[in-house]
Amino acid sequence: MKTLIKKLIPRFLLNWYHFLLVFLGALIYKFPSKKLIVIGVTGTNGKSTVVHLVTEILEKSGFKTASISSIRFKIGEKEWPNRLKMTMPGRLMLQKFLRQAVKDGCKYAVLEVTSEGIKQHRHKFIDFNGAVFTNLTREHIEAHKGFENYKKAKGRLFEALKKSKKQNKFSVINVDDPNADYFLNLSQGTRIYTYGIKNKKAEITPDKINLQISLPGEFNIYNSLAAIGVGLSQGIELNKILKILKNVKGLPGRMELVVDKPFKVFVDYAHTPDSLEKVYQTIYKSQMICVFGSCGGGRDKWKRPEMGRIAAQYCDKIILTNEDPYDENPVSIIKDIKAGFSKSQITNNKLQIILDRRQAIRKALSLAKEGDVVIITGKGCEPWICVEKGKKIPWDDRRVVREEYEKLDVKTRS
């Protein structure tokens, strides 16, 4: 029904509707961002992790902090899971959240800023103090009608920062990303902190600061460097930041180790080709069993065969399953993923299709032997599977893994 309404209403009217709704929220809640130090984090991958790490740094440094990500909402000591299937909440909720943060005495608010949220003006009437750019790969291309429009949508966070009346504004930019110059240009007039691993001109690199973290993967090195840039911008000593990051053990649904022995089972949110490949590269073992679908029916169909190609390259066994089909036929989604396999790769030994996600997880666990790795991607700690007609099925990959693991023969778990 919502999709039909969107098709019937002219786009300019929808734009005005979203804009006026955001303005109304700011007005009702008295423009709360003026009383907070607000930091926006944008990019394709890593946003939630950076928000989490920045929040850790600020809190462990003695600052009461509020934050919003696709994982959780947090105001000081109070936190609750994000069950909205929406990272930047609309319908006045974002401004209400910021007002509550002010009321509870928070000094900082750290926000995950998405291109879809920007598209619907949800970043408007928020006075930002700082902006972080993580990286940019192809995502939401169909919704934005091209990569350049997608990039420009991300750039609007930095344009909003430039217009902000706050003092001592700053930007944190990943200069290893091919699109870094675009965001650096938008950051003129702010204090710029650059980070990277490969770019020798980066101010913050693992070698220069002797970074040590327990979070796995090169991508988490990047996420940590971004968080360090924010910490430094707020006058927090580098040694203190490094000590805080060294003690961070992990994030829900992000490379989360759910089963450790006799084989390992990881759950991760990876839902883009780039993030999927980085996860596989991080945990690559001699025998890897991969369970995934393609996140979001009815959108970003281009990435499905690409994800199939990547899985075929890294995984020894692949189980394609249902994820969030919405109103699209799950079988069609699976067929699109299979298009990324060459004919020689589509064998009964390598590829299985099990639409029921619980059964797919059960099968993966039954195939695993001592020393193997099972990796289940696409949902992380998301609490729902979204199916047709707006229906949501309660779900948690981690819970299902634990339940199905307990059903295995005791000998396989000894």
Side-chain angles (χ1 to χ4, degrees), residues 238-249:
L238 177 59
N239 287 338
K240 187 170 189 176
I241 296 170
L242 292 174
K243 185 177 180 181
I244 293 168
L245 290 178
K246 189 175 182 179
N247 291 325
V248 175
K249 300 304 180 186

Side-chain angles (χ1 to χ4, degrees), residues 54-97:
V54 169
T55 302
E56 283 284 305
I57 290 168
L58 293 172
E59 288 184 333
K60 294 293 193 300
S61 299
F63 302 111
K64 194 167 186 179
T65 304
S67 62
I68 293 179
S69 72
S70 59
I71 297 175
R72 70 180 184 185
F73 296 92
K74 191 175 193 305
I75 297 179
E77 297 298 319
K78 182 183 177 183
E79 64 176 86
W80 61 102
N82 184 346
R83 297 183 178 277
L84 298 176
K85 285 289 287 183
M86 183 187 303
T87 304
M88 286 187 79
R91 300 190 181 281
L92 316 188
M93 287 182 63
L94 183 52
Q95 294 289 343
K96 181 180 180 181
F97 176 88

